[in-house]
Amino acid sequence: MSETGRKYTDYGYELLRKTLLPELLNGEHDAIMYWGGKLLARKTPLDNIDEIPPFFERAGWGKIEKQKEGKNQWKYELQLMNDEKKPAFSRHLEAGFLAGQFETLYKTAAEATLEKKRNGIKIHVYIDPFREH
């Protein structure tokens, strides 16, 4: 079956993200998930930043939308899942993935930070054009 034809339940995904991984990774959960996201970005490089939203949808990470673009920083909004009133689990994996994609695409160091908002999560991506990746 093709990668796009697979369907997994949200419940199974949430079991991993909400329960298993935080338990296994303990206090290092957010940092490990962030670096794991960077690793995933290196293993699945995109051709340009316009491919980020479709990738997030395909990966089951939710709907992400670019809100603002500057010279060395971008702001994205990741919408919460329909049944979430507040984030049900850490989105550090997604932030790390964005940072990793920007490192690959711009060939420079990048970092992403999370900001929890009422109906979603803002992810700020910063690149350092003077520091090679």
Side-chain angles (χ1 to χ4, degrees):
M1 183 178 271
S2 79
E3 165 181 317
T4 56
R6 294 183 187 154
K7 256 320 195 200
Y8 300 99
T9 67
D10 290 341
Y11 179 68
Y13 180 72
E14 287 183 34
L15 275 174
L16 293 173
R17 293 289 297 265
K18 254 181 14 184
T19 308
L20 181 63
L21 291 174
E23 186 72 26
L24 291 174
L25 303 175
N26 290 317
E28 300 299 317
H29 175 266
D30 290 347
I32 291 171
M33 294 299 284
Y34 181 85
W35 290 105
K38 281 191 157 193
L39 172 76
L40 288 174
R42 285 193 301 276
K43 299 284 186 177
T44 56
L46 303 176
D47 292 328
N48 59 63
I49 60 174
D50 294 332
E51 292 182 8
I52 291 170
F55 181 90
F56 268 60
E57 295 259 351
R58 229 178 21 257
W61 293 350
K63 182 177 167 97
I64 192 165
E65 195 173 289
K66 183 170 47 172
Q67 300 290 304
K68 190 175 182 182
E69 182 175 338
K71 184 177 178 187
N72 297 321
Q73 76 176 41
W74 291 257
K75 186 189 295 185
Y76 285 87
E77 182 170 357
L78 179 61
Q79 293 180 359
L80 296 177
M81 295 179 185
N82 292 336
D83 60 342
E84 286 182 292
K85 301 253 187 283
K86 61 181 186 171
F89 48 83
S90 163
R91 297 312 201 283
H92 285 83
L93 177 76
E94 292 85 342
F97 182 82
L98 281 177
Q101 287 299 334
F102 276 81
E103 285 181 348
T104 300
L105 292 167
Y106 290 91
K107 304 205 183 333
T108 189
E111 169 182 327
T113 60
L114 294 167
E115 177 186 2
K116 293 177 184 172
K117 289 295 195 183
R118 189 175 193 183
N119 295 324
I121 296 169
K122 300 273 188 212
I123 303 176
H124 303 266
V125 182
Y126 307 91
I127 62 169
D128 183 349
F130 304 109
R131 210 172 102 214
E132 278 190 36
H133 165 62

mmCIF file of all heavy atoms in Angstrom, residues 34-70:
data_model
loop_
_atom_site.group_PDB
_atom_site.id
_atom_site.type_symbol
_atom_site.label_atom_id
_atom_site.label_comp_id
_atom_site.label_asym_id
_atom_site.label_seq_id
_atom_site.Cartn_x
_atom_site.Cartn_y
_atom_site.Cartn_z
ATOM 1 N N TYR A 34 12.391 17.174 19.993
ATOM 2 C CA TYR A 34 12.868 18.265 19.138
ATOM 3 C C TYR A 34 14.007 17.767 18.242
ATOM 4 O O TYR A 34 13.982 17.962 17.027
ATOM 5 C CB TYR A 34 13.335 19.438 20.008
ATOM 6 C CG TYR A 34 13.831 20.627 19.219
ATOM 7 C CD1 TYR A 34 12.933 21.588 18.744
ATOM 8 C CD2 TYR A 34 15.176 20.811 18.953
ATOM 9 C CE1 TYR A 34 13.370 22.681 18.026
ATOM 10 C CE2 TYR A 34 15.632 21.895 18.231
ATOM 11 C CZ TYR A 34 14.722 22.829 17.773
ATOM 12 O OH TYR A 34 15.167 23.910 17.046
ATOM 13 N N TRP A 35 14.992 17.112 18.845
ATOM 14 C CA TRP A 35 16.123 16.611 18.054
ATOM 15 C C TRP A 35 15.688 15.479 17.130
ATOM 16 O O TRP A 35 16.215 15.324 16.033
ATOM 17 C CB TRP A 35 17.281 16.197 18.968
ATOM 18 C CG TRP A 35 17.880 17.430 19.580
ATOM 19 C CD1 TRP A 35 17.729 17.866 20.866
ATOM 20 C CD2 TRP A 35 18.656 18.437 18.910
ATOM 21 N NE1 TRP A 35 18.360 19.071 21.031
ATOM 22 C CE2 TRP A 35 18.945 19.439 19.856
ATOM 23 C CE3 TRP A 35 19.123 18.577 17.607
ATOM 24 C CZ2 TRP A 35 19.684 20.569 19.526
ATOM 25 C CZ3 TRP A 35 19.865 19.717 17.291
ATOM 26 C CH2 TRP A 35 20.137 20.692 18.243
ATOM 27 N N GLY A 36 14.693 14.718 17.556
ATOM 28 C CA GLY A 36 14.127 13.692 16.677
ATOM 29 C C GLY A 36 13.471 14.314 15.457
ATOM 30 O O GLY A 36 13.574 13.794 14.343
ATOM 31 N N GLY A 37 12.799 15.448 15.646
ATOM 32 C CA GLY A 37 12.200 16.168 14.532
ATOM 33 C C GLY A 37 13.255 16.651 13.548
ATOM 34 O O GLY A 37 13.079 16.577 12.331
ATOM 35 N N LYS A 38 14.382 17.127 14.082
ATOM 36 C CA LYS A 38 15.480 17.560 13.205
ATOM 37 C C LYS A 38 16.024 16.373 12.411
ATOM 38 O O LYS A 38 16.319 16.495 11.223
ATOM 39 C CB LYS A 38 16.598 18.220 14.019
ATOM 40 C CG LYS A 38 16.295 19.649 14.394
ATOM 41 C CD LYS A 38 17.544 20.324 14.950
ATOM 42 C CE LYS A 38 17.418 21.819 14.805
ATOM 43 N NZ LYS A 38 18.677 22.512 15.029
ATOM 44 N N LEU A 39 16.141 15.226 13.075
ATOM 45 C CA LEU A 39 16.602 14.015 12.396
ATOM 46 C C LEU A 39 15.639 13.625 11.270
ATOM 47 O O LEU A 39 16.068 13.321 10.153
ATOM 48 C CB LEU A 39 16.744 12.859 13.389
ATOM 49 C CG LEU A 39 17.034 11.500 12.767
ATOM 50 C CD1 LEU A 39 18.496 11.418 12.332
ATOM 51 C CD2 LEU A 39 16.701 10.390 13.724
ATOM 52 N N LEU A 40 14.348 13.656 11.554
ATOM 53 C CA LEU A 40 13.356 13.340 10.530
ATOM 54 C C LEU A 40 13.460 14.295 9.340
ATOM 55 O O LEU A 40 13.296 13.884 8.189
ATOM 56 C CB LEU A 40 11.939 13.395 11.111
ATOM 57 C CG LEU A 40 11.562 12.270 12.059
ATOM 58 C CD1 LEU A 40 10.180 12.542 12.658
ATOM 59 C CD2 LEU A 40 11.586 10.929 11.353
ATOM 60 N N ALA A 41 13.747 15.557 9.607
ATOM 61 C CA ALA A 41 13.892 16.531 8.520
ATOM 62 C C ALA A 41 15.086 16.185 7.636
ATOM 63 O O ALA A 41 15.011 16.301 6.416
ATOM 64 C CB ALA A 41 14.047 17.941 9.096
ATOM 65 N N ARG A 42 16.175 15.752 8.259
ATOM 66 C CA ARG A 42 17.356 15.367 7.465
ATOM 67 C C ARG A 42 17.070 14.117 6.643
ATOM 68 O O ARG A 42 17.554 13.976 5.531
ATOM 69 C CB ARG A 42 18.563 15.134 8.378
ATOM 70 C CG ARG A 42 19.182 16.408 8.894
ATOM 71 C CD ARG A 42 20.534 16.169 9.535
ATOM 72 N NE ARG A 42 20.524 15.254 10.655
ATOM 73 C CZ ARG A 42 20.244 15.576 11.908
ATOM 74 N NH1 ARG A 42 19.934 16.827 12.217
ATOM 75 N NH2 ARG A 42 20.274 14.673 12.863
ATOM 76 N N LYS A 43 16.281 13.204 7.190
ATOM 77 C CA LYS A 43 15.966 11.951 6.494
ATOM 78 C C LYS A 43 14.895 12.124 5.420
ATOM 79 O O LYS A 43 14.795 11.299 4.526
ATOM 80 C CB LYS A 43 15.500 10.883 7.496
ATOM 81 C CG LYS A 43 16.516 10.523 8.544
ATOM 82 C CD LYS A 43 17.586 9.649 7.969
ATOM 83 C CE LYS A 43 18.528 9.181 9.070
ATOM 84 N NZ LYS A 43 19.526 8.282 8.559
ATOM 85 N N THR A 44 14.069 13.172 5.533
ATOM 86 C CA THR A 44 13.013 13.424 4.555
ATOM 87 C C THR A 44 13.058 14.889 4.112
ATOM 88 O O THR A 44 12.132 15.658 4.381
ATOM 89 C CB THR A 44 11.622 13.103 5.137
ATOM 90 O OG1 THR A 44 11.447 13.864 6.339
ATOM 91 C CG2 THR A 44 11.430 11.645 5.422
ATOM 92 N N PRO A 45 14.137 15.284 3.437
ATOM 93 C CA PRO A 45 14.260 16.695 3.035
ATOM 94 C C PRO A 45 13.191 17.088 2.014
ATOM 95 O O PRO A 45 12.842 16.298 1.133
ATOM 96 C CB PRO A 45 15.662 16.769 2.432
ATOM 97 C CG PRO A 45 15.970 15.378 1.996
ATOM 98 C CD PRO A 45 15.247 14.469 2.950
ATOM 99 N N LEU A 46 12.685 18.277 2.181
ATOM 100 C CA LEU A 46 11.703 18.826 1.247
ATOM 101 C C LEU A 46 12.422 19.728 0.252
ATOM 102 O O LEU A 46 13.518 20.211 0.527
ATOM 103 C CB LEU A 46 10.630 19.605 2.018
ATOM 104 C CG LEU A 46 9.886 18.813 3.105
ATOM 105 C CD1 LEU A 46 8.913 19.709 3.858
ATOM 106 C CD2 LEU A 46 9.165 17.624 2.504
ATOM 107 N N ASP A 47 11.804 19.962 -0.890
ATOM 108 C CA ASP A 47 12.419 20.797 -1.925
ATOM 109 C C ASP A 47 12.292 22.286 -1.639
ATOM 110 O O ASP A 47 13.119 23.072 -2.079
ATOM 111 C CB ASP A 47 11.823 20.494 -3.294
ATOM 112 C CG ASP A 47 12.191 19.099 -3.773
ATOM 113 O OD1 ASP A 47 13.296 18.618 -3.437
ATOM 114 O OD2 ASP A 47 11.367 18.480 -4.478
ATOM 115 N N ASN A 48 11.228 22.678 -0.918
ATOM 116 C CA ASN A 48 11.037 24.087 -0.578
ATOM 117 C C ASN A 48 10.053 24.189 0.585
ATOM 118 O O ASN A 48 9.389 23.215 0.930
ATOM 119 C CB ASN A 48 10.564 24.898 -1.792
ATOM 120 C CG ASN A 48 9.265 24.378 -2.356
ATOM 121 O OD1 ASN A 48 8.239 24.402 -1.685
ATOM 122 N ND2 ASN A 48 9.305 23.901 -3.600
ATOM 123 N N ILE A 49 9.945 25.392 1.161
ATOM 124 C CA ILE A 49 9.103 25.541 2.353
ATOM 125 C C ILE A 49 7.613 25.411 2.041
ATOM 126 O O ILE A 49 6.821 25.159 2.943
ATOM 127 C CB ILE A 49 9.389 26.849 3.132
ATOM 128 C CG1 ILE A 49 9.143 28.087 2.285
ATOM 129 C CG2 ILE A 49 10.785 26.849 3.685
ATOM 130 C CD1 ILE A 49 9.269 29.391 3.068
ATOM 131 N N ASP A 50 7.246 25.558 0.777
ATOM 132 C CA ASP A 50 5.833 25.383 0.416
ATOM 133 C C ASP A 50 5.367 23.937 0.581
ATOM 134 O O ASP A 50 4.166 23.673 0.621
ATOM 135 C CB ASP A 50 5.591 25.837 -1.025
ATOM 136 C CG ASP A 50 5.807 27.334 -1.189
ATOM 137 O OD1 ASP A 50 5.608 28.079 -0.201
ATOM 138 O OD2 ASP A 50 6.174 27.757 -2.302
ATOM 139 N N GLU A 51 6.306 23.004 0.675
ATOM 140 C CA GLU A 51 5.954 21.598 0.864
ATOM 141 C C GLU A 51 5.688 21.242 2.326
ATOM 142 O O GLU A 51 5.251 20.137 2.625
ATOM 143 C CB GLU A 51 7.069 20.704 0.322
ATOM 144 C CG GLU A 51 7.205 20.761 -1.181
ATOM 145 C CD GLU A 51 8.289 19.832 -1.697
ATOM 146 O OE1 GLU A 51 8.840 19.028 -0.910
ATOM 147 O OE2 GLU A 51 8.588 19.909 -2.892
ATOM 148 N N ILE A 52 5.938 22.180 3.233
ATOM 149 C CA ILE A 52 5.762 21.903 4.671
ATOM 150 C C ILE A 52 4.303 21.591 5.022
ATOM 151 O O ILE A 52 4.030 20.559 5.640
ATOM 152 C CB ILE A 52 6.361 23.039 5.532
ATOM 153 C CG1 ILE A 52 7.893 23.009 5.412
ATOM 154 C CG2 ILE A 52 5.906 22.936 6.982
ATOM 155 C CD1 ILE A 52 8.598 24.204 6.013
ATOM 156 N N PRO A 53 3.326 22.436 4.658
ATOM 157 C CA PRO A 53 1.935 22.108 5.031
ATOM 158 C C PRO A 53 1.453 20.753 4.518
ATOM 159 O O PRO A 53 0.891 19.978 5.301
ATOM 160 C CB PRO A 53 1.124 23.275 4.458
ATOM 161 C CG PRO A 53 2.095 24.416 4.433
ATOM 162 C CD PRO A 53 3.418 23.776 4.063
ATOM 163 N N PRO A 54 1.688 20.410 3.238
ATOM 164 C CA PRO A 54 1.233 19.082 2.800
ATOM 165 C C PRO A 54 1.950 17.940 3.536
ATOM 166 O O PRO A 54 1.349 16.904 3.813
ATOM 167 C CB PRO A 54 1.543 19.040 1.303
ATOM 168 C CG PRO A 54 1.862 20.420 0.886
ATOM 169 C CD PRO A 54 2.193 21.193 2.110
ATOM 170 N N PHE A 55 3.221 18.143 3.880
ATOM 171 C CA PHE A 55 3.944 17.108 4.620
ATOM 172 C C PHE A 55 3.304 16.897 5.995
ATOM 173 O O PHE A 55 3.104 15.765 6.427
ATOM 174 C CB PHE A 55 5.431 17.460 4.782
ATOM 175 C CG PHE A 55 6.181 16.403 5.527
ATOM 176 C CD1 PHE A 55 6.777 15.348 4.847
ATOM 177 C CD2 PHE A 55 6.270 16.424 6.915
ATOM 178 C CE1 PHE A 55 7.440 14.340 5.536
ATOM 179 C CE2 PHE A 55 6.939 15.424 7.615
ATOM 180 C CZ PHE A 55 7.523 14.384 6.921
ATOM 181 N N PHE A 56 2.993 17.986 6.693
ATOM 182 C CA PHE A 56 2.370 17.887 8.017
ATOM 183 C C PHE A 56 1.050 17.116 7.933
ATOM 184 O O PHE A 56 0.765 16.281 8.786
ATOM 185 C CB PHE A 56 2.142 19.279 8.614
ATOM 186 C CG PHE A 56 3.277 19.764 9.468
ATOM 187 C CD1 PHE A 56 4.547 19.926 8.944
ATOM 188 C CD2 PHE A 56 3.082 20.064 10.800
ATOM 189 C CE1 PHE A 56 5.592 20.366 9.720
ATOM 190 C CE2 PHE A 56 4.124 20.503 11.605
ATOM 191 C CZ PHE A 56 5.391 20.661 11.055
ATOM 192 N N GLU A 57 0.261 17.415 6.919
ATOM 193 C CA GLU A 57 -1.022 16.711 6.747
ATOM 194 C C GLU A 57 -0.785 15.219 6.512
ATOM 195 O O GLU A 57 -1.446 14.373 7.113
ATOM 196 C CB GLU A 57 -1.801 17.309 5.574
ATOM 197 C CG GLU A 57 -2.215 18.743 5.801
ATOM 198 C CD GLU A 57 -3.657 18.910 6.201
ATOM 199 O OE1 GLU A 57 -4.415 17.937 6.148
ATOM 200 O OE2 GLU A 57 -4.002 20.050 6.569
ATOM 201 N N ARG A 58 0.165 14.896 5.629
ATOM 202 C CA ARG A 58 0.473 13.492 5.307
ATOM 203 C C ARG A 58 0.992 12.746 6.532
ATOM 204 O O ARG A 58 0.679 11.578 6.732
ATOM 205 C CB ARG A 58 1.526 13.458 4.183
ATOM 206 C CG ARG A 58 1.211 12.568 3.067
ATOM 207 C CD ARG A 58 2.203 12.539 1.914
ATOM 208 N NE ARG A 58 3.554 12.968 2.135
ATOM 209 C CZ ARG A 58 4.054 14.158 1.758
ATOM 210 N NH1 ARG A 58 3.302 15.045 1.164
ATOM 211 N NH2 ARG A 58 5.312 14.456 1.984
ATOM 212 N N ALA A 59 1.790 13.428 7.344
ATOM 213 C CA ALA A 59 2.369 12.809 8.535
ATOM 214 C C ALA A 59 1.356 12.683 9.672
ATOM 215 O O ALA A 59 1.633 12.033 10.677
ATOM 216 C CB ALA A 59 3.578 13.613 9.013
ATOM 217 N N GLY A 60 0.191 13.319 9.534
ATOM 218 C CA GLY A 60 -0.809 13.264 10.593
ATOM 219 C C GLY A 60 -0.519 14.234 11.721
ATOM 220 O O GLY A 60 -1.028 14.089 12.825
ATOM 221 N N TRP A 61 0.312 15.241 11.435
ATOM 222 C CA TRP A 61 0.702 16.218 12.460
ATOM 223 C C TRP A 61 -0.264 17.383 12.550
ATOM 224 O O TRP A 61 -0.144 18.222 13.415
ATOM 225 C CB TRP A 61 2.100 16.745 12.196
ATOM 226 C CG TRP A 61 3.171 15.717 12.363
ATOM 227 C CD1 TRP A 61 3.046 14.466 12.897
ATOM 228 C CD2 TRP A 61 4.542 15.844 11.995
ATOM 229 N NE1 TRP A 61 4.249 13.812 12.884
ATOM 230 C CE2 TRP A 61 5.189 14.642 12.331
ATOM 231 C CE3 TRP A 61 5.282 16.856 11.400
ATOM 232 C CZ2 TRP A 61 6.539 14.431 12.114
ATOM 233 C CZ3 TRP A 61 6.633 16.646 11.182
ATOM 234 C CH2 TRP A 61 7.252 15.438 11.546
ATOM 235 N N GLY A 62 -1.202 17.468 11.638
ATOM 236 C CA GLY A 62 -2.189 18.535 11.680
ATOM 237 C C GLY A 62 -1.984 19.560 10.588
ATOM 238 O O GLY A 62 -1.127 19.434 9.716
ATOM 239 N N LYS A 63 -2.788 20.588 10.669
ATOM 240 C CA LYS A 63 -2.769 21.650 9.667
ATOM 241 C C LYS A 63 -1.840 22.764 10.161
ATOM 242 O O LYS A 63 -2.030 23.294 11.254
ATOM 243 C CB LYS A 63 -4.187 22.180 9.452
ATOM 244 C CG LYS A 63 -4.287 23.247 8.401
ATOM 245 C CD LYS A 63 -5.738 23.643 8.203
ATOM 246 C CE LYS A 63 -5.818 24.907 7.401
ATOM 247 N NZ LYS A 63 -6.052 24.783 6.029
ATOM 248 N N ILE A 64 -0.856 23.094 9.331
ATOM 249 C CA ILE A 64 0.081 24.159 9.667
ATOM 250 C C ILE A 64 0.027 25.212 8.570
ATOM 251 O O ILE A 64 -0.120 24.889 7.397
ATOM 252 C CB ILE A 64 1.517 23.627 9.862
ATOM 253 C CG1 ILE A 64 2.390 24.701 10.497
ATOM 254 C CG2 ILE A 64 2.092 23.088 8.578
ATOM 255 C CD1 ILE A 64 3.695 24.171 11.057
ATOM 256 N N GLU A 65 0.100 26.450 8.995
ATOM 257 C CA GLU A 65 -0.018 27.549 8.047
ATOM 258 C C GLU A 65 1.019 28.624 8.365
ATOM 259 O O GLU A 65 1.194 28.986 9.531
ATOM 260 C CB GLU A 65 -1.419 28.136 8.195
ATOM 261 C CG GLU A 65 -1.865 29.022 7.097
ATOM 262 C CD GLU A 65 -3.327 29.394 7.293
ATOM 263 O OE1 GLU A 65 -4.188 28.517 7.111
ATOM 264 O OE2 GLU A 65 -3.584 30.558 7.652
ATOM 265 N N LYS A 66 1.695 29.107 7.319
ATOM 266 C CA LYS A 66 2.660 30.186 7.516
ATOM 267 C C LYS A 66 1.887 31.472 7.779
ATOM 268 O O LYS A 66 1.018 31.850 7.011
ATOM 269 C CB LYS A 66 3.560 30.329 6.286
ATOM 270 C CG LYS A 66 4.628 31.381 6.455
ATOM 271 C CD LYS A 66 5.676 31.375 5.353
ATOM 272 C CE LYS A 66 5.072 31.316 3.990
ATOM 273 N NZ LYS A 66 6.024 31.483 2.909
ATOM 274 N N GLN A 67 2.201 32.148 8.878
ATOM 275 C CA GLN A 67 1.524 33.383 9.251
ATOM 276 C C GLN A 67 2.317 34.613 8.833
ATOM 277 O O GLN A 67 1.746 35.625 8.471
ATOM 278 C CB GLN A 67 1.304 33.431 10.775
ATOM 279 C CG GLN A 67 0.463 32.305 11.305
ATOM 280 C CD GLN A 67 -0.968 32.439 10.872
ATOM 281 O OE1 GLN A 67 -1.600 33.457 11.122
ATOM 282 N NE2 GLN A 67 -1.479 31.444 10.201
ATOM 283 N N LYS A 68 3.644 34.491 8.940
ATOM 284 C CA LYS A 68 4.482 35.655 8.714
ATOM 285 C C LYS A 68 5.852 35.188 8.253
ATOM 286 O O LYS A 68 6.351 34.167 8.710
ATOM 287 C CB LYS A 68 4.600 36.444 10.023
ATOM 288 C CG LYS A 68 5.226 37.787 9.914
ATOM 289 C CD LYS A 68 5.140 38.480 11.270
ATOM 290 C CE LYS A 68 5.734 39.868 11.176
ATOM 291 N NZ LYS A 68 5.703 40.551 12.469
ATOM 292 N N GLU A 69 6.439 35.952 7.351
ATOM 293 C CA GLU A 69 7.779 35.623 6.870
ATOM 294 C C GLU A 69 8.619 36.881 6.908
ATOM 295 O O GLU A 69 8.210 37.932 6.421
ATOM 296 C CB GLU A 69 7.700 35.087 5.440
ATOM 297 C CG GLU A 69 9.023 34.680 4.873
ATOM 298 C CD GLU A 69 8.904 34.046 3.497
ATOM 299 O OE1 GLU A 69 7.814 33.549 3.139
ATOM 300 O OE2 GLU A 69 9.917 34.049 2.789
ATOM 301 N N GLY A 70 9.792 36.774 7.514
ATOM 302 C CA GLY A 70 10.724 37.889 7.559
ATOM 303 C C GLY A 70 12.021 37.483 6.898
ATOM 304 O O GLY A 70 12.126 36.423 6.276
#
